[in-house]
Every structure is written in structure tokens, then in C-alpha cells.
């Protein structure tokens, strides 16, 4: 559920409008092709997760295979990717929540809601940013005090939103508004098929859920068997849901309408074709808008869990301060890792939505390249290792995973150079900050080693 919770949420409710803006009706192909690309890396994740059943996701695998600095950079990138994704999901939650209030005439349309005055200080913030801030703060607090509570919330939210999306597809596909003419021409402004590549890079974040599954490996029963199954099941379900929902959204609202609606594209499409005058809920579109709120919260909760587990794993490996790798004596949660992740997420809600998505996608693409390389390196160095799951047609899947992720990375960087230099600058700044912190921490650690401490590596996985 945690993987589906992350994948079925932000991608549909936050990024669909942005994908339509870049690719036009071909947005439907964007998500399908991203699913194909991620399938190759998913095979690598499944084999590594079955062989190395440790929490921490891609970081744990790379830590097992590569030296200290490469594994630190991997963990540093993955941690950042999840935290920025949290900001993205919070920014997606806010306009959908305002849309829900608007459906019941409690507030003006999201674009017409004014700023909120802050108490004590003489300042005001946009309502959407204030709501995003509150959402992050609430889920960080929930995760800080109870792992069980956050997991239960994730399961409930995911089941509810999948049910709501089924309703959305059923009404949309049978609505008089649905027209196949909305898919003509398929590519925006007469552009060719290559025009969808930048949109694939931007929306790649939507499929990071299988890494998220492996961040909580140690909290799963029989992970060597169940983690690969969870990866394949969540990826297959997610691609089908995306295909149906994006197809209905484009077919009813049109690519231009979706692009204009931005993060609230699916919600506005539903408001347009769902029935009105229903008992209690009054407006059928409110159900879908409510689902959008649920979905973005689910994704946000999932990345709060994932980011903190990556930081926890790095702390346990002594690549961050040891306090990151400790569980709170009363709550049983990685409290310091959760709070540190929450601080960066809170800061990220001030970013433009597209910049948050771009940065997160860029770091996930880079991380997945390294994970595919880990499979190849591990096969060569430890061919007799116990592998409960072995991918078919090796080494073709990890090689294709590396090549395709490299291609998308190059396209995304070129796109960012033209449209979003801020995302590139902040991404480079985070890497520079990490390398500096690593150098300082390693220097301090070497002093401790000279006084009798160990190097902090965990034992190798059982062969």
C-alpha cells in the first residue's frame, strides 16, 4: 500500500496538468512510457530487495556494494528527493483542498483566495502555501509519535482514493463530455513524438513508489518474498490507473483545459462532468476533489515515512550523525530523522510546484542509474550470493534501465537549463552541501577512530 500510496496520488492529481501543458493529449503516453522505463529498474529493485533485506531503499543497496563516498552521495540524493517530493505533494494538496471548499461555496475559487495574515508578525502568506505548511507539519507530527498510526493512515487513504478514482473513470468514460476528438492531434502544437520526453522527465517522480517500498523493508513480513511481489503489483496497478484516469481527464476536459487547471486539473475535470444535486454531498465532483485531497495527503505521508527511513539508515551506517539512526525510547520512531526531514519539507513548500517536481525527478533518475549499476556490480563480485528472486534476461534489464534513465536525465537537464535554472542551482547546491558535510564529518570521524571507534558499516547481507 505504501508504494501505491505514493505512486497513485501526486502523479495523477498534481502532475497531470503540467504534463498536458508540455505534451498535450500525449500526456497519456507520458505516464505509460514512464511506467515502461521504471519497469526495468523495478526488476533491479526486486532482486536487490530480495537479496539485501534492509530498510533504506536504494541507499541500503548502494551502501552494500559501493564505497563510502558514492553510497553517501546516493543516500544524500535519495533523502533530498523524498523531502522535495513532500513539498510537491503538499503544494498539490493545497489547491485541491481549496477546490473542495469552493465546491460547497465556502471559499472563492482557488486562484481567487487571498493571502492569510500571520499573527504577531506583520506579514501575510498565500493561503495555498499556508495550507501546505500545515499539512507537512501535521503528518510529520503523526509520524514522529507513532509508526503504527502512520501506516494505518496510509492503508486507509490508499483504499479510499483508488475507489474514488474508479468512480471518476466510470462517470468520465460514460459522460457526454468525453470525446475522442480531444486526442487529435496527439502531440501539442503539431510537435513530434520527441515532445513528450521533457514531460516524461518532469513526471518521473510519479513512479518512485517502488523505491519507497524498499525503504521500509525491515518493517515487512518475509521481505525476501513479499517485497518483489509488492513492487510488481504496485507498478502494474499504478500504470493501469494512470492510463484510465489521464485518458478520461484528457477526453473530457481537453489537454488545454487540464494545462490551465494545473495541480487541480483532475478535480476540475470531475467537477465538470460529475452529477449535481445528490443527497448529502450535493455535488458529485466533490467526491473526486475529496479524493484528490486524500491522494495528495497519502503521498505526503508516504514520503515522510520514506525520507525519514533513508536518513535513519544513513545515521545507522554512521554516514549522518548517530542520533539520526536511533529510535525514540518512548515512541519507537526515528524521531530525529523525521524532524530533520520535516524541516526541509517545510522549507520546500515555498518553491514553485514545477521546480519541486523537477528537482525530485532529477534526483530519482540519478539514483535509479546507480541502483541499476549496483545490480551489475553485485552479480560480478558476489555471484554465489543467495538471491531469492533473480531478474529474467540479465543483464539486459539493468543495462536498459541505466541507458533510459540517463537519456531522461539528459533531456530533463537540458529542459531545466531553458526553463527552470532555479531547480538546477538548488540541486547542485544540495550536492555541494552534502559533499562538504561528508568531508567535515569524515574528518571528525577519523579523529574518533584514532581513539578506538569502529568504521560504522553494518554486516554484509547473508550469502
Amino acid at each position: 500500500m505504501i508504494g501505491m500510496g505514493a505512486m497513485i496520488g501526486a502523479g495523477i492529481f498534481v502532475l497531470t496538468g503540467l504534463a498536458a501543458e508540455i505534451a498535450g493529449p500525449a500526456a497519456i503516453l507520458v505516464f505509460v512510457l514512464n511506467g515502461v522505463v521504471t519497469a526495468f529498474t523495478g526488476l533491479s529493485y526486486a532482486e536487490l530487495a530480495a537479496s539485501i533485506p534492509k530498510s533504506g531503499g536504494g541507499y541500503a543497496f548502494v551502501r552494500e556494494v559501493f564505497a563510502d563516498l558514492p553510497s553517501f552521495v546516493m543516500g544524500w540524493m535519495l533523502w533530498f528527493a523524498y523531502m522535495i517530493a513532500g513539498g510537491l505533494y503538499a503544494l498539490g494538496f493545497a489547491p485541491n483542498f481549496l477546490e473542495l471548499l469552493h465546491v460547497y461555496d465556502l471559499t472563492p475559487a482557488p486562484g481567487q483566495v487571498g493571502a492569510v495574515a500571520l499573527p504577531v508578525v506583520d506579514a501575510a502568506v498565500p493561503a495555498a502555501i499556508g495550507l501546505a505548511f500545515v499539512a507537512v507539519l501535521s503528518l510529520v507530527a503523526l509520524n514522529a509519535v507513532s509508526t503504527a498510526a502512520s501506516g494505518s493512515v496510509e492503508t486507509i487513504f490508499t483504499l479510499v482514493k483508488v475507489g474514488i478514482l474508479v468512480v471518476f473513470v466510470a462517470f468520465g468514460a460514460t459522460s457526454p463530455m468525453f470525446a475522442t476528438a480531444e486526442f487529435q492531434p496527439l502531440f501539442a502544437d503539431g510537435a513530434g513524438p520527441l515532445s513528450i520526453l521533457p514531460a516524461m522527465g518532469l513526471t518521473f517522480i510519479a513512479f518512485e513508489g517502488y523505491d519507497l517500498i524498499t525503504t521500509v523493508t525491515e518493517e515487512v513480513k518475509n521481505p525476501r518474498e513479499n517485497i518483489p511481489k509488492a513492487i510488481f503489483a504496485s507498478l502494474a496497478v499504478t500504470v493501469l490507473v494512470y492510463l484510465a484516469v489521464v485518458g478520461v481527464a484528457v477526453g473530457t476536459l481537453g489537454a488545454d483545459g487540464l494545462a490551465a487547471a494545473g495541480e487541480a486539473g483532475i478535480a476540475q475535470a470531475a467537477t465538470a462532468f460529475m452529477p449535481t444535486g445528490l443527497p448529502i454531498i450535493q455535488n458529485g465532483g466533490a467526491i473526486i476533489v475529496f479524493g484528490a485531497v486524500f491522494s495528495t495527503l497519502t503521498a505526503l505521508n508516504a514520503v515522510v515515512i520514506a525520507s525519514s527511513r533513508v536518513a535513519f539508515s544513513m545515521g545507522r551506517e554512521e554516514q549522518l550523525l548517530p542520533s539520526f539512526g536511533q529510535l525514540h525510547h518512548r515512541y519507537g520512531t526515528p524521531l530525529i530523522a523525521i524532524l530533520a526531514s520535516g524541516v526541509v519539507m517545510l522549507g520546500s513548500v515555498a518553491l514553485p510546484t514545477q521546480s519541486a517536481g523537477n528537482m525530485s525527478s532529477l534526483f530519482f533518475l540519478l539514483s535509479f542509474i546507480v541502483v541499476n549499476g549496483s545490480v551489475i556490480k553485485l552479480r560480478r563480485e558476489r555471484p554465489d550470493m543467495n538471491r531469492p528472486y533473480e531478474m529474467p534476461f540479465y543483464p539486459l534489464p539493468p543495462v536498459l534501465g541505466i541507458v533510459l534513465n540517463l537519456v531522461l536525465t539528459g533531456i530533463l537537464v537540458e529542459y531545466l537549463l531553458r526553463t527552470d535554472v532555479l531547480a538546477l542551482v538548488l540541486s547542485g547546491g544540495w550536492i555541494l552541501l552534502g559533499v562538504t558535510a561528508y568531508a567535515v564529518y569524515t574528518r571528525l570521524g577519523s579523529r574518533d577512530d584514532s581513539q578506538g571507534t569502529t568504521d560504522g558499516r553494518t554486516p554484509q547481507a547473508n550469502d
Side-chain angles (χ1 to χ4, degrees):
M1 284 297 175
I2 190 171
M4 289 173 57
M7 288 192 280
I8 303 175
I12 289 180
F13 289 102
V14 181
L15 297 176
T16 301
L18 298 176
E21 183 178 353
I22 298 173
I28 191 170
L29 294 180
V30 168
F31 292 102
V32 173
L33 292 177
N34 268 339
V36 173
V37 172
T38 55
F40 295 115
T41 305
L43 289 169
S44 295
Y45 265 92
E47 179 169 315
L48 289 170
S51 307
I52 309 170
K54 291 182 178 179
S55 291
Y59 166 73
F61 309 145
V62 175
R63 178 63 174 155
E64 191 78 15
V65 177
F66 287 96
D68 283 352
L69 181 57
S71 61
F72 171 82
V73 173
M74 172 69 182
W76 189 254
M77 290 194 305
L78 205 52
W79 186 30
F80 187 68
Y82 278 126
M83 291 187 291
I84 296 300
L88 171 69
Y89 299 157
L91 289 169
F93 156 79
N96 283 299
F97 183 71
L98 291 174
E99 178 70 19
L100 180 62
L101 298 180
H102 172 61
V103 168
Y104 290 108
D105 295 326
L106 297 175
T107 66
Q112 300 172 357
V113 176
V116 177
L118 296 176
V120 183
V121 296
D122 185 19
V125 296
I129 292 180
L131 283 170
F133 193 90
V134 171
V136 171
L137 205 58
S138 301
L139 289 176
V140 165
L142 176 68
N143 279 272
V145 300
S146 174
T147 299
S150 61
S152 299
V153 167
E154 188 68 22
T155 300
I156 294 170
F157 278 15
T158 301
L159 290 174
V160 169
K161 70 183 178 183
V162 169
I164 288 174
L165 287 173
V166 170
V167 173
F168 172 84
V169 172
F171 274 98
T174 57
S175 167
M177 286 182 61
F178 186 87
T180 55
E182 296 290 354
F183 294 90
Q184 300 295 332
L186 185 59
F187 301 104
D189 297 330
L194 294 181
S195 64
I196 66 174
L197 293 178
M200 286 180 65
L202 168 64
T203 59
F204 194 77
I205 181 181
F207 290 89
E208 44 54 22
Y210 54 73
D211 179 85
L212 199 150
I213 294 170
T214 59
T215 62
V216 294
T217 294
E218 294 172 34
E219 299 167 41
V220 175
K221 293 180 181 177
N222 192 12
R224 289 180 181 271
E225 181 177 337
N226 289 330
I227 292 291
K229 290 180 180 176
I231 289 173
F232 297 137
S234 60
L235 191 55
V237 172
T238 299
V239 170
L240 288 175
V241 170
Y242 272 60
L243 188 63
V245 172
V246 177
V248 166
V250 172
T252 53
L253 203 60
D256 291 339
L258 274 178
E263 300 93 331
I266 299 297
Q268 289 194 16
T271 303
F273 65 71
M274 293 290 282
T276 58
L278 299 175
I280 302 178
I281 61 173
Q282 300 176 22
N283 190 324
I287 299 175
I288 308 305
V289 183
F290 187 65
V293 172
F294 250 79
S295 297
T296 47
L297 281 179
T298 306
L300 175 57
N301 185 60
V303 294
V304 170
I305 296 172
S307 61
S308 61
R309 297 313 187 271
V310 173
F312 171 74
S313 184
M314 293 181 72
R316 196 169 55 176
E317 294 284 327
E318 297 188 5
Q319 291 202 311
L320 290 177
L321 293 173
S323 56
F324 280 72
Q326 295 174 353
L327 298 178
H328 190 269
H329 68 281
R330 179 178 179 184
Y331 303 126
T333 60
L335 184 65
I336 300 300
I338 291 171
L339 295 179
S341 302
V343 168
V344 177
M345 281 188 196
L346 289 172
S348 68
V349 301
L351 293 170
T353 303
Q354 193 157 352
S355 293
N358 284 330
M359 283 192 289
S360 193
S361 287
L362 178 61
F363 279 109
F364 277 120
L365 284 166
L366 293 172
S367 302
F368 292 167
I369 292 169
V370 182
V371 169
N372 280 301
S374 298
V375 172
I376 297 173
K377 193 169 188 294
L378 196 62
R379 284 258 193 160
R380 288 183 175 178
E381 294 182 351
R382 300 167 69 181
D384 298 327
M385 184 179 190
N386 177 27
R387 293 180 172 83
Y389 171 78
E390 289 190 4
M391 72 177 72
F393 307 112
Y394 175 85
L396 191 59
V399 170
L400 283 175
I402 290 172
V403 171
L404 292 174
N405 284 306
L406 271 174
V407 169
L408 285 180
T409 300
I411 291 169
L412 181 58
V413 169
E414 189 275 334
Y415 176 74
L416 296 184
L417 283 171
R418 289 187 287 109
T419 63
D420 193 0
V421 177
L422 173 66
L424 279 181
V425 170
L426 291 177
S427 299
W430 179 257
I431 294 292
L432 183 62
L433 176 64
V435 172
T436 304
Y438 179 82
V440 172
Y441 190 62
T442 302
R443 187 178 180 83
L444 295 175
S446 64
R447 291 178 182 173
D448 291 341
D449 287 344
S450 67
Q451 298 172 9
T453 58
T454 64
D455 66 359
R457 290 212 57 165
T458 56
Q460 298 285 303
N462 295 329
D463 287 4

